[in-house]
C-alpha cells in the first residue's frame, strides 16, 4: 500500500511566498508534505532597499535572496503560473523555455505580489520606469550616472538641463525615499564633475494629493517637505501628470518638464496574470479575497485548500485601521502574514485550528539620503540622523538570513570609509556591443562570372566563308 503526502504549491517567490516556504520548512516534519514554489525569478527582492540600490549605497545582488540557496527542502520552479483551476486543484505552469504543464496540488498558497499600477497617460509606458524590481533600481542608478557623463561634455542649454533632471511620480514612501536618495546621490556626484553646478541639477516630485507620505502625521510630512526644499528639490502637490511623450512631462498645472529619467511610484495592483487566470474569489480592487486566518474565502465561507497573503490578497485588518478595512499592501504585513500562514497551514494539515492575523502597526521609518531619515511611531516622531540610524537598524535586522544581513551591512561599512562607486554599468544592457563592433565577419561572396555570350549561327550564304583573320592568313 502506497501513501502520498500532501502537495503544497506556493505561487510567487516574493516576501510572502519566500517567507511562507521558508517557515514551512521549519514547521513541517520531514516527509509531512511536499512544498513547491513557482516564480519567474529565482530570487526574492527586499524592496525597501531598492532606493538605496538606486543611490549606489548597496550592491544590487545583496538585496536579493536566492530561493535555491535558502530553501533547502523546497522544490523551486522558475516559471510563471498562468492559470489556477482550484476546482480540479491544478495550476498551469508556463516556463520561459519549453511547453506549459499542469501542476497538481492539495494546498495552494497564492502570494504572487503586486506590480506597478499605471494609468493610460501618453508616454508613460514608453518612457517611465518603476521601482518594484532590483533591475529597475540598477537601471535608475546607471542612467543618472550616464547622464552626468553626457552632460559634462555639453555646453549649458536645454539638452544639458534635460539630462540633469529627474522626475518622480508618487509621494508615498517608495516615491519619497527614491526621490530623496537620488537627490542626495546627485549632490554627492558633483565633486567628481567640476563642470556641473548644483543649481543645474533639477529634481521634481509629482503628487496628486495635497500631502506626501500618508503613513506619517501631517506635521512629520511637512517637515520632510521643508527638508527636501533645503536640498534643492521641487515638490508639486495637487498635481497630476497629463503626458510624458518624448520625455516631456506635462503637468496638470500646464508646466512641462523635459527629462531623461521618469520614475513611477504611484501605486501598485495585485499581479493581474495570476488573479485573472484564477477561479478563486476576487474583491472589487482586484485582489484575492482572504479571511483573517489567511484562508481564501469570506468570514462565512471557506475555500478549502486555498490560502493567500501579501499584496495579492485582501486580508481583513482586525485592528480597524486598514484602508477600507483591509491590510495595506506593504512589506511589514506581507512578512508577518507569511509567517502566520505557514503556522496555520501546518496546523490545518494536522487537524488543528488556525489563528487569525492581527498586527498593530508599530510605526513607519524612511531613509531620506545619507545620514538623514524620519521615524514615526504613534505620536512620537524622530527626524534626521537618529531616524536614519533607526531606518538602517530596522531594515538591516529585517533582511532575511544572516548571510544577507552581513552583505548589506558590509556595503554600508565599506561606503562609510570608501564612499560610493560612481561608475555607470549601463552598457550591461547591451553587453555584446564591443564584441559586435570588432568581430570579424565573413567576406561577402564574390559575384558570379557573367556567362559567355552565345554565338549566333551564320546565315546560309556565308556559312563557310572565312573570317577576316583566316583571310589574312591566307
Amino acid at each position: 500500500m502506497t501513501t502520498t503526502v500532501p502537495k503544497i504549491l506556493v505561487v510567487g517567490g516574493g516576501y510572502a511566498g519566500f517567507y511562507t516556504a521558508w517557515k514551512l520548512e521549519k514547521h513541517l516534519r520531514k516527509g509531512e508534505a511536499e512544498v513547491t514554489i513557482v516564480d519567474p525569478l529565482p530570487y526574492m527582492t527586499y524592496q525597501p532597499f531598492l532606493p538605496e540600490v538606486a543611490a549606489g549605497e548597496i550592491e544590487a545582488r545583496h538585496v536579493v535572496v536566492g530561493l535555491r540557496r535558502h530553501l533547502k527542502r523546497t522544490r523551486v520552479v522558475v516559471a510563471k503560473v498562468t492559470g489556477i483551476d482550484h476546482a480540479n486543484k491544478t495550476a498551469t505552469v508556463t516556463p520561459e523555455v519549453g511547453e506549459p504543464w499542469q501542476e497538481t496540488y492539495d494546498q495552494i498558497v497564492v502570494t504572487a505580489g503586486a506590480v506597478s499600477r499605471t494609468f493610460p497617460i501618453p508616454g508613460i509606458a514608453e518612457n517611465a520606469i518603476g521601482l518594484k524590481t532590483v533591475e529597475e533600481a540598477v537601471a535608475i542608478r546607471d542612467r543618472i550616472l550616464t547622464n552626468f557623463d553626457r552632460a559634462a561634455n555639453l555646453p549649458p542649454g536645454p539638452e544639458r538641463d534635460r539630462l540633469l533632471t529627474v522626475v518622480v511620480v508618487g509621494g508615498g514612501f517608495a516615491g519619497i525615499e527614491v526621490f530623496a536618495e537620488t537627490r542626495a546621490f546627485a549632490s554627492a556626484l558633483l565633486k567628481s564633475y567640476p563642470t556641473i553646478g548644483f543649481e543645474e541639477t533639477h529634481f521634481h516630485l509629482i503628487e496628486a494629493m495635497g500631502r506626501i507620505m500618508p503613513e506619517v502625521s501631517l506635521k512629520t510630512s511637512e517637515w520632510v517637505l521643508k527638508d527636501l526644499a533645503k536640498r534643492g528639490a521641487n515638490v508639486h502637490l495637487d498635481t497630476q501628470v497629463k503626458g510624458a511623450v518624448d520625455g516631456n512631462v506635462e503637468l496638470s498645472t500646464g508646466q512641462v518638464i523635459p527629462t531623461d529619467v521618469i520614475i513611477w511610484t504611484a501605486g501598485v495592483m495585485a499581479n493581474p496574470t495570476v488573479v485573472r487566470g484564477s477561479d478563486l474569489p476576487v474583491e472589487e480592487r482586484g485582489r484575492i479575497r482572504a479571511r483573517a486566518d489567511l484562508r481564501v474565502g469570506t468570514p462565512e465561507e471557506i475555500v478549502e485548500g486555498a490560502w493567500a497573503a501579501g499584496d495579492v490578497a485582501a486580508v481583513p485588518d482586525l485592528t480597524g485601521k486598514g484602508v477600507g478595512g483591509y491590510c495595506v499592501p506593504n512589506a511589514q504585513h506581507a512578512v508577518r502574514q507569511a509567517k502566520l500562514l505557514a503556522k496555520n497551514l501546518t496546523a490545518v494539515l494536522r487537524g488543528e485550528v488556525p489563528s487569525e492575523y492581527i498586527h498593530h502597526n508599530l510605526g513607519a521609518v524612511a531613509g531620506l539620503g545619507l545620514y538623514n531619515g524620519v521615524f514615526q511611531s504613534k505620536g512620537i516622531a524622530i527626524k534626521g540622523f537618529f531616524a536614519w540610524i533607526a531606518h538602517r537598524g530596522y531594515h538591516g535586522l529585517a533582511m532575511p538570513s544572516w548571510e544577507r544581513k552581513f552583505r548589506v551591512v558590509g556595503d554600508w561599512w565599506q561606503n562609510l570609509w570608501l564612499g560610493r562607486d560612481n561608475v555607470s554599468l549601463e552598457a550591461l544592457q547591451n553587453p555584446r556591443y564591443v564584441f559586435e563592433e570588432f568581430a570579424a565577419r565573413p567576406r561577402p561572396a564574390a559575384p558570379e562570372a557573367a556567362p559567355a555570350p552565345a554565338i549566333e549561327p551564320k546565315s546560309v550564304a556565308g556559312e563557310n566563308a572565312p573570317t577576316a583573320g583566316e583571310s589574312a592568313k591566307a
Side-chain angles (χ1 to χ4, degrees), residues 148-218:
F148 264 71
D149 287 332
R150 291 170 177 168
N153 294 328
L154 295 175
E159 180 60 15
R160 181 173 165 120
D161 287 342
R162 187 182 70 85
L163 291 171
L164 297 175
T165 299
V166 174
V167 173
V168 177
V169 184
F173 255 63
I176 290 297
E177 286 194 297
V178 73
F179 183 65
E181 291 284 0
T182 52
R183 169 70 271 186
F185 179 42
S187 298
L189 286 176
L190 293 175
K191 64 179 180 292
S192 300
Y193 294 86
T195 61
I196 299 176
F198 177 84
E199 68 284 352
E200 294 182 273
T201 59
H202 312 288
F203 279 71
H204 297 267
L205 178 79
I206 316 301
E207 171 53 49
M209 297 195 304
R211 60 164 295 182
I212 60 171
M213 303 175 73
E215 300 89 345
V216 302
S217 68
L218 180 60

Side-chain angles (χ1 to χ4, degrees), residues 227-239:
D227 182 72
L228 292 173
K230 291 178 183 177
R231 290 188 271 164
N234 302 284
V235 179
H236 306 258
L237 299 179
D238 292 315
T239 305

Side-chain angles (χ1 to χ4, degrees), residues 96-448:
E96 186 173 351
V97 178
E99 296 296 322
W101 73 85
Q102 299 299 311
E103 186 79 21
T104 60
Y105 61 83
D106 298 293
Q107 303 280 338
I108 190 168
V109 178
V110 184
T111 52
V115 298
S116 296
R117 175 173 60 93
T118 58
F119 307 100
I121 299 172
I124 287 297
E126 294 79 11
N127 298 307
I129 187 170
L131 193 68
K132 292 292 292 178
T133 69
V134 68
E135 293 85 358
E136 290 173 323
V138 172
I140 291 169
R141 173 188 179 275
D142 286 343
R143 177 59 63 86
I144 291 174
L145 284 167
T146 298
N147 284 355
F148 264 71
D149 287 332
R150 291 170 177 168
N153 294 328
L154 295 175
E159 180 60 15
R160 181 173 165 120
D161 287 342
R162 187 182 70 85
L163 291 171
L164 297 175
T165 299
V166 174
V167 173
V168 177
V169 184
F173 255 63
I176 290 297
E177 286 194 297
V178 73
F179 183 65
E181 291 284 0
T182 52
R183 169 70 271 186
F185 179 42
S187 298
L189 286 176
L190 293 175
K191 64 179 180 292
S192 300
Y193 294 86
T195 61
I196 299 176
F198 177 84
E199 68 284 352
E200 294 182 273
T201 59
H202 312 288
F203 279 71
H204 297 267
L205 178 79
I206 316 301
E207 171 53 49
M209 297 195 304
R211 60 164 295 182
I212 60 171
M213 303 175 73
E215 300 89 345
V216 302
S217 68
L218 180 60
K219 184 178 180 180
T220 300
S221 70
E222 289 175 345
W223 177 88
V224 174
L225 286 174
K226 292 177 182 177
D227 182 72
L228 292 173
K230 291 178 183 177
R231 290 188 271 164
N234 302 284
V235 179
H236 306 258
L237 299 179
D238 292 315
T239 305
Q240 297 176 336
V241 175
K242 293 298 184 181
V245 178
D246 297 329
N248 292 307
V249 179
E250 181 184 351
L251 306 182
S252 56
T253 59
Q255 183 178 357
V256 176
I257 305 172
T259 178
D260 194 51
V261 182
I262 306 170
I263 306 171
W264 183 274
T265 65
V268 298
M269 65 177 181
N271 189 318
T273 302
V274 173
V275 172
R276 295 170 186 170
S278 164
D279 59 355
L280 297 173
V282 178
E283 49 90 62
E284 57 274 7
R285 295 189 64 184
R287 297 174 296 180
I288 293 176
R289 192 178 295 278
R291 295 159 41 91
D293 60 11
L294 303 174
R295 287 184 284 187
V296 173
T298 63
E300 298 77 25
E301 185 177 358
I302 300 172
V303 178
E304 294 292 345
W307 306 75
D311 294 356
V312 78
V315 179
D317 189 340
L318 299 184
T319 67
K321 298 178 181 178
V323 178
Y326 296 104
C327 296
V328 296
N330 62 24
Q332 192 174 144
H333 280 302
V335 170
R336 288 171 171 79
Q337 289 170 8
K339 292 179 179 179
L340 179 63
L341 194 158
K343 289 182 179 179
N344 282 353
L345 180 48
T346 303
V348 167
L349 291 177
R350 296 173 181 171
E352 301 169 1
V353 178
S355 303
E356 291 187 329
Y357 175 76
I358 181 169
H359 171 64
H360 292 276
N361 191 356
L362 300 178
V365 61
L368 302 176
L370 208 56
Y371 310 127
N372 195 18
V374 62
F375 170 80
Q376 175 90 47
S377 180
K378 298 181 180 179
I380 301 174
I382 303 175
K383 311 173 189 74
F385 177 75
F386 290 105
W388 176 78
I389 292 292
H391 168 263
R392 286 204 162 178
Y394 172 79
H395 287 297
L397 291 173
M399 186 72 183
S401 86
W402 284 105
E403 178 256 340
R404 292 287 105 176
K405 287 179 173 65
F406 281 129
R407 293 182 186 275
V408 169
V409 173
D411 287 341
W412 289 336
W413 178 253
Q414 292 177 56
N415 286 342
L416 176 64
W417 302 103
L418 305 176
R420 292 180 272 205
D421 282 332
N422 61 354
V423 177
S424 170
L425 296 180
E426 193 171 33
L428 280 175
Q429 298 174 33
N430 181 23
R432 298 182 65 250
Y433 77 99
V434 173
F435 183 84
E436 289 179 340
E437 181 178 354
F438 297 103
R441 290 173 171 80
R443 292 183 178 181
E448 295 183 5

Side-chain angles (χ1 to χ4, degrees), residues 57-68:
E57 294 178 18
I58 302 179
E59 166 62 33
R61 289 181 183 271
H62 296 169
V63 305
V64 299
V65 181
L67 300 181
R68 297 184 190 277

